[in-house]
Amino acid sequence: MKATVDPKVLAEAVGTAAKQLPARPSVPVLSGLLLRIEHGTLTVTGFDYEVSTRSQVDTIARTDEQPGAVLVSGKLLAEITKALPAKPVELTAVGTHLEMVCGSARFTLPTMPVEDYPALPVIPNPAGTIDAAAFGRLVAQVAVAAGRDDTLPMMTGVRVELNGNTMAMLATDRYRLAVAEVPWEPAADLPDGLAALIPAKVLAGMAKGFASAGGTVTLSLDQTSPGQGVAGIAGPRHEFTSRLLDGQNYPPVRSLFPKEYAAHAQVPVASLIEVVQRVALVAERTTPVLLTFSLDGLVVEAGGTEDARASEAMDTRFTGAPLTIGFNPHYLVEGLQALNQSVAHFGFVDAFKPAVMTGAPSAGEEPDPHYRYLIMPIRVTR
């Protein structure tokens, strides 16, 4: 095997595949990335029986290209490719080693037996396509609310719902809930009401490879049996597959959104993030930040002990009866960041029921109805 490739493109392909490699592989070959050269393309492959990745890189200087494949340590290769100088990289398989030459830098890496590497799952039939950048933003907005407790696997997933020309994603960890919807192009034979539960961590890692890309992403689903199906996601340079979680008993989370609100507030997102992060410095691990809304503005407070307290006031537009409500500061900041808008609109029922955040480009404008972030309050006695 021999080929010459661009170092920046190689680093991006290797980095994308390496992020999905298991921390503690069940067999040594699963810690490796498979590099295959054929027909002017270098394909970088990773697999752990749960998630597969395939990234493609066009080769340069094809006159000296030799087809073939090698299997090398993925983590080590990712570290090396990130550090290479901006010069063409020559990859050559020599016996049981891979030689990498980039300018005056030379690396020799041991290889593993290619024949021991498992076969990757086949990408299912396409369900439809969506703009790559829109897909990346959609996943980033929703995956932040997914659970991280592996003892509750259903809560660690993002539920993808396909209804006609709309793709919706939902995620919750029981303390917050994110729901987003975007247009997409379904396949001609796709039935309405199709839903699948994809691990949030995996989906977020996939989406990062598409967030700044052009073109479209193709979503494929194979739901042969509960908890045994496969999702495929393919873009201009990357292809992924992931097993599906069993989402048959996913709770009806949309019913958590209030139908009416007793109070509303509009707050600049960037300013509120700064204030919450500043005030929360004195908060203990389980201590909420308190937001007091009134016609005079907003006061953000926190305190871990009698000797460590903080408060800060800021301007806000508020309608309704004065209200003091407590939130987990980490959940609040993550929700504000996920809005991707300049102004946060809060809807409140009372201090003890969930609040809902939406975003708008500027104060006074209608909030974006396609993304909602619900956050449970923390009951506080004062």
Side-chain angles (χ1 to χ4, degrees), residues 25-36:
S26 55
V27 291
V29 292
L30 296 184
S31 68
L33 291 179
L34 182 66
L35 309 183
R36 185 179 297 278

Side-chain angles (χ1 to χ4, degrees), residues 146-158 172 197-200 243-247 250:
R148 295 167 176 80
D149 183 358
D150 290 331
T151 63
L152 298 169
M154 187 181 294
M155 297 292 103
T156 65
V158 170
T172 180
L197 192 62
I198 304 175
R243 69 174 180 87
L244 297 177
L245 298 170
D246 184 357
Y250 199 81

Side-chain angles (χ1 to χ4, degrees), residues 252-293:
V253 292
R254 290 180 184 269
S255 63
L256 295 174
F257 287 102
K259 291 181 172 58
E260 295 182 349
Y261 300 100
H264 297 267
Q266 297 179 23
V267 190
V269 169
S271 299
L272 182 55
I273 289 174
E274 290 180 4
V275 170
V276 170
Q277 290 177 330
R278 210 159 29 234
V279 169
L281 291 173
V282 302
E284 296 176 348
R285 187 171 180 269
T286 59
T287 303
V289 292
L290 302 181
L291 279 66
T292 299
F293 293 91

Side-chain angles (χ1 to χ4, degrees), residues 89-254:
V89 185
E90 185 179 288
L91 306 172
T92 308
V94 181
T96 58
H97 290 81
L98 172 68
E99 290 189 356
M100 301 176 60
V101 179
C102 183
S104 60
R106 179 184 294 270
F107 297 87
T108 301
L109 307 181
T111 61
M112 294 175 274
V114 172
E115 58 272 17
D116 292 347
Y117 201 70
L120 271 64
V122 177
I123 291 184
N125 292 329
T129 60
I130 181 174
D131 176 77
F135 179 78
R137 290 192 299 269
L138 178 68
V139 173
Q141 285 187 308
V142 174
V144 68
R148 295 167 176 80
D149 183 358
D150 290 331
T151 63
L152 298 169
M154 187 181 294
M155 297 292 103
T156 65
V158 170
R159 179 176 168 88
V160 180
E161 297 178 347
L162 307 175
N163 290 290
N165 295 320
T166 300
M167 172 188 284
M169 290 190 182
L170 308 86
T172 180
D173 60 3
R174 300 180 299 164
Y175 304 104
R176 51 189 171 157
L177 163 65
V179 177
E181 298 177 349
V182 294
W184 88 311
E185 292 291 335
D189 57 348
L190 187 72
D192 249 359
L194 193 63
L197 192 62
I198 304 175
K201 183 179 179 181
V202 172
L203 189 61
M206 294 177 181
K208 286 181 181 177
F210 300 124
S212 59
T216 60
V217 168
T218 299
L219 175 66
S220 305
L221 295 174
D222 175 14
Q223 297 174 296
T224 51
S225 60
Q228 299 297 318
V230 174
I233 299 174
R237 297 190 305 273
H238 308 291
E239 291 182 353
F240 302 87
T241 64
S242 171
R243 69 174 180 87
L244 297 177
L245 298 170
D246 184 357
Q248 282 192 311
N249 299 315
Y250 199 81
V253 292
R254 290 180 184 269

